[in-house]
Amino acid sequence: MDGTACSEISMALSARDIHKVEMLIRSGVDICYTRSGGHDALLDAVLRPNIVQDTQLLPLLNLLLQHNVALNTITPYQESALRVLSRLGRFDAVALLLAAGADENQLEWTALAHATAIGNIDEMRRCLASGCDLEDRDWWSRTPYLIAIQTGDIEKAKLLLSAGANPNATGRCGQQPLTYAISNFHTPMLRWLVASGSDIALTCDFDTTYLMHAVQADNAEAVVTLLQAGAQLNTRSQNSATDSGIPDVAALVRDVVGETALADDISEMFSQLNEM
């Protein structure tokens, strides 16, 4: 396939334009391409912004699967579609690719991690009864407990804790449990973690607070939840309160909340802060 056609369908995939992808395939463009960096159609479909809440992801993947795209491509940077989807917590899409024949070994999941991510409570109980290690880690350095948080399933998280899982486990780059709930927009999970005593002042290896992470994720509900729990507006991290390079967190919070239904709650909080 010539470079222009490859670039066109790659851009259509990245833009979530299913109709254009279908049109290009009908016109004869080869969907089984490989471009620079080892990226193929499946990777182009998953390596795009805002995929966590993307309602077009599964239809797009189904379209690609209908045309027999490669399932197990791994780039020189060790990227694969399965690994990207797993990192982002799109376990529904992971399950779809696994059902189509993708290689689960890429994920380095134990039976318990598999049951937690795409199985059910009964499967998890059977794994626990058979002696599965609660702290084994997957490709992304997540324990089953961290995976449970990323699924948003509080009952799964409770089951693992009752079996002895470490509630303070961290993933790659020091990602804390709350980070996974924020990134995947699981507000009930976030509230449960906060109510269970999670320290909202902790940071990851990049020295970023949960509040800043919620702002960067454009997660207004998480912003409000954290502020209500006492998160501080005037610092990016525990160790950099006097850093002149710190962004104006209050302004960023206002930008995230915008005109949503949560705006009144935020305005009241700012008013109270200004009076202090």
Side-chain angles (χ1 to χ4, degrees):
M1 179 169 60
D2 66 76
T4 300
C6 179
S7 176
E8 190 172 11
I9 197 162
S10 173
M11 290 175 62
L13 287 165
S14 296
R16 310 174 178 86
D17 193 338
I18 296 178
H19 297 303
K20 186 168 186 178
V21 172
E22 289 177 322
M23 180 194 71
L24 289 169
I25 293 172
R26 286 197 302 270
S27 71
V29 172
D30 184 7
I31 194 65
C32 297
Y33 64 84
T34 300
R35 61 180 183 84
S36 61
H39 287 193
D40 60 9
L42 202 55
L43 273 162
D44 282 337
V46 303
L47 284 170
R48 49 206 178 102
N50 306 320
I51 199 172
V52 169
Q53 295 184 298
D54 186 0
T55 59
Q56 293 301 304
L57 176 62
L58 295 185
L60 182 58
L61 293 181
N62 273 312
L63 173 63
L64 296 181
L65 293 176
Q66 290 168 17
H67 292 277
N68 301 312
V69 296
L71 295 174
N72 296 311
T73 300
I74 299 178
T75 73
Y77 299 101
Q78 299 303 301
E79 296 170 307
S80 75
L82 269 182
R83 286 174 177 169
V84 171
L85 291 168
S86 176
R87 173 176 63 84
L88 296 173
R90 284 304 302 258
F91 299 121
D92 53 347
V94 169
L96 177 66
L97 294 189
L98 290 178
D103 181 10
E104 186 171 337
N105 290 324
Q106 292 183 7
L107 303 176
E108 298 184 6
W109 276 355
T110 62
L112 181 56
H114 176 107
T116 304
I118 60 177
N120 56 48
I121 288 283
D122 288 338
E123 292 175 68
M124 292 176 65
R125 289 195 179 103
R126 287 194 290 271
C127 288
L128 292 170
S130 70
C132 284
D133 192 326
L134 286 163
E135 305 305 324
D136 272 348
R137 294 176 179 271
D138 71 352
W139 173 262
W140 295 109
S141 301
R142 296 171 305 193
T143 64
Y145 176 66
L146 294 175
I147 292 173
I149 290 172
Q150 203 165 11
T151 69
D153 192 323
I154 295 172
E155 294 308 310
K156 287 182 175 181
K158 287 180 176 179
L159 175 63
L160 292 167
L161 287 180
S162 69
N166 177 11
N168 300 313
T170 59
R172 189 171 295 191
C173 299
Q175 286 196 76
Q176 303 284 344
L178 268 70
T179 305
Y180 293 100
I182 294 167
S183 297
N184 287 87
F185 292 77
H186 294 315
T187 303
M189 175 66 78
L190 177 60
R191 289 172 179 158
W192 175 73
L193 289 168
V194 170
S196 299
S198 294
D199 185 353
I200 61 171
L202 291 177
T203 61
C204 68
D205 285 357
F206 299 111
D207 207 26
T208 301
T209 63
Y210 294 130
L211 183 58
M212 275 306 302
H213 185 76
V215 168
Q216 291 163 358
D218 203 25
N219 187 339
E221 288 190 345
V223 167
V224 172
T225 298
L226 293 168
L227 287 173
Q228 289 173 334
Q232 298 300 303
L233 283 164
N234 63 339
T235 180
R236 181 183 62 189
S237 73
Q238 291 174 314
N239 304 313
S240 55
T242 60
D243 184 351
S244 60
I246 295 175
D248 183 347
V249 180
L252 291 174
V253 167
R254 288 190 178 95
D255 288 342
V256 169
V257 175
E259 298 302 321
T260 69
L262 302 170
D264 289 342
D265 293 339
I266 286 289
S267 296
E268 183 177 349
M269 289 178 196
F270 283 132
S271 297
Q272 292 172 353
L273 286 167
N274 291 333
E275 293 171 0
M276 296 176 64

